[in-house]
Amino acid sequence: MGHNDHFEDDYPELPDEAGANTRSGFEPNNEWLLSASPNLRHEAMRQWFLSRYWDPANDTPYNGREGGYIYVHGGPYEAEDELYGRFGHLFDDEIVRAVIEAVESDGIYEWAPIHTEPDYDDYFAFEVESEDLPYQQFIQRLSEIDSLHSTELGAEHQKLLRQLLYSHLIAALETYLSDSMSYWVKSDEAVFKRFVFYCFDFKQEKLSLSNIFDRLEGLREQVEKYIQKTVWHRLDRVMPLFSSALNIERPEIEQLMQHIVIRHDIVHRGGRTKDGDHVEITADKLVELRKCVANFIENIEKKIAEKDHDSDF
């Protein structure tokens, strides 16, 4: 979608390098702005404002008795405050003032925010910066779990604590798998290619030759979002792809899957089985899962260390 799709046809078309359309609105590139022609600069600043704020009549409740809008999404906002706040450090007063007058030319002086959904993908995204970071963080989680497990509590509280720690061990496993996969697809081209090649969902997508270059440009971002949204405790589904992408032997999952079924009852059934029985996590059972998860991850780490990821695809 072009920058001007929601704006009047008689305004100049902005080039692609002018900025980007985000969930918050059009965001101009400051470096481009500083070198842009006056009319394009003016238009970019105008679009920045009008992609974020609009006439409150569009989406704001009106109190007829009091004679005013109820700004349930925030506001009212004034063009002067917002435009000077965004561009005042870049341009002289005359330049910013011209944009203010343009957006207020229809007689709107108090504005409501355009209600948009937050970008939850950005909230959940996490950058894995080194090869050993996922394992280091896993070891840290184990240390925290061990410390909490040694806490002296009453019998009932101890039962609940063991359930929580039991679930957290599976969560630590999920995080390790997700972060490891994220690191390797970003840092190793062979792993990235194998991930795309072996991923069942990607195999099902149809691609026309006319779109191939656009898809290639966005493929890495698509893979990263896929990794973020994958349910990593479903080892029966994820380990074939994980192992194939990393070109390592697939680890055994049967023992862990038994624990994951119990974790499901704790998290999704309030600590009861589908028959209504209470799920009891003894100290021995917690230790058993800890050992099982640690061995599973250490085995993966050993296989990764032994494998040459740059081998032929």
Side-chain angles (χ1 to χ4, degrees):
M1 182 176 66
H3 298 311
N4 289 13
D5 286 0
H6 297 303
F7 298 91
E8 297 89 338
D9 293 336
D10 56 345
Y11 287 96
E13 180 76 21
L14 295 178
D16 290 340
E17 60 268 24
N21 287 303
T22 71
R23 295 195 183 205
S24 299
F26 173 61
E27 187 58 49
N29 180 304
N30 283 352
E31 291 185 8
W32 176 87
L33 274 176
L34 292 170
S35 61
S37 63
N39 65 324
L40 289 179
R41 178 187 63 211
H42 178 98
E43 177 60 14
M45 295 166 67
R46 191 184 76 92
Q47 288 195 26
W48 177 86
F49 182 82
L50 293 179
S51 64
R52 287 166 170 76
Y53 307 97
W54 60 1
D55 185 341
N58 291 326
D59 190 39
T60 306
Y62 187 81
N63 188 332
R65 178 176 298 179
E66 300 292 333
Y69 289 104
I70 304 172
Y71 290 87
V72 293
H73 300 306
Y77 296 93
E78 295 184 7
E80 181 174 358
D81 293 339
E82 303 310 315
L83 283 163
Y84 272 114
R86 173 61 177 84
F87 302 108
H89 67 293
L90 296 175
F91 303 112
D92 294 337
D93 180 82
E94 181 181 356
I95 294 174
V96 180
R97 176 60 56 185
V99 181
I100 295 170
E101 292 175 357
V103 300
E104 292 182 342
S105 62
D106 289 333
I108 304 171
Y109 302 101
E110 292 186 337
W111 301 79
I114 296 176
H115 195 49
T116 58
E117 295 181 1
D119 189 348
Y120 291 112
D121 288 336
D122 285 345
Y123 294 163
F124 295 124
F126 175 71
E127 187 75 20
V128 183
E129 298 177 348
S130 65
E131 176 181 345
D132 58 349
L133 183 59
Y135 185 69
Q136 290 175 354
Q137 291 186 327
F138 170 70
I139 294 301
Q140 182 180 347
R141 296 289 88 78
L142 284 188
S143 177
E144 293 167 352
I145 289 170
D146 291 342
S147 177
L148 285 170
H149 189 206
S150 64
T151 304
E152 293 189 7
L153 298 172
E156 290 303 313
H157 289 155
Q158 192 69 49
K159 288 181 181 179
L160 178 59
L161 177 62
R162 289 194 191 118
Q163 285 189 345
L164 294 174
L165 296 180
Y166 193 92
S167 301
H168 194 63
L169 278 167
I170 302 299
L173 168 63
E174 290 184 274
T175 301
Y176 167 82
L177 293 174
S178 175
D179 288 352
S180 294
M181 195 76 271
S182 180
Y183 170 79
W184 283 110
V185 298
K186 288 180 179 178
S187 62
D188 192 309
E189 186 69 17
V191 175
F192 173 74
K193 289 179 178 178
R194 285 194 293 265
F195 185 95
V196 175
F197 181 81
Y198 288 109
C199 179
F200 176 80
D201 291 327
F202 288 169
K203 286 183 178 181
Q204 304 307 303
E205 293 193 18
K206 298 186 183 298
L207 177 64
S208 64
L209 288 177
S210 61
N211 295 328
I212 190 169
F213 296 110
D214 289 338
R215 289 299 306 275
L216 283 174
E217 288 180 1
L219 185 55
R220 288 192 177 276
E221 181 179 357
Q222 184 180 0
V223 167
E224 181 58 30
K225 288 183 177 180
Y226 186 91
I227 291 172
Q228 292 173 15
K229 294 177 181 179
T230 295
V231 180
W232 285 94
H233 65 258
R234 284 300 306 266
L235 301 182
D236 54 326
R237 296 179 180 175
V238 302
M239 290 315 296
L241 177 58
F242 184 93
S243 304
S244 296
L246 290 173
N247 199 22
I248 62 174
E249 180 183 352
R250 190 182 306 177
E252 295 293 331
I253 66 170
E254 284 74 15
Q255 185 178 6
L256 262 178
M257 285 304 299
Q258 295 175 14
H259 290 287
I260 288 171
V261 170
I262 296 173
R263 174 260 182 199
H264 181 273
D265 289 340
I266 293 173
V267 173
H268 299 290
R269 293 197 176 102
R272 296 187 177 276
T273 68
K274 63 181 179 180
D275 297 324
D277 299 326
H278 179 74
V279 176
E280 182 176 359
I281 304 299
T282 64
D284 288 343
K285 199 169 193 66
L286 183 63
V287 170
E288 177 187 334
L289 175 58
R290 184 199 184 283
K291 182 179 179 180
C292 187
V293 171
N295 288 343
F296 185 82
I297 290 178
E298 288 167 6
N299 183 36
I300 291 175
E301 285 287 302
K302 181 179 178 181
K303 291 177 179 178
I304 291 176
E306 294 172 349
K307 197 66 183 176
D308 177 12
H309 297 293
D310 292 325
S311 59
D312 293 338
F313 176 73

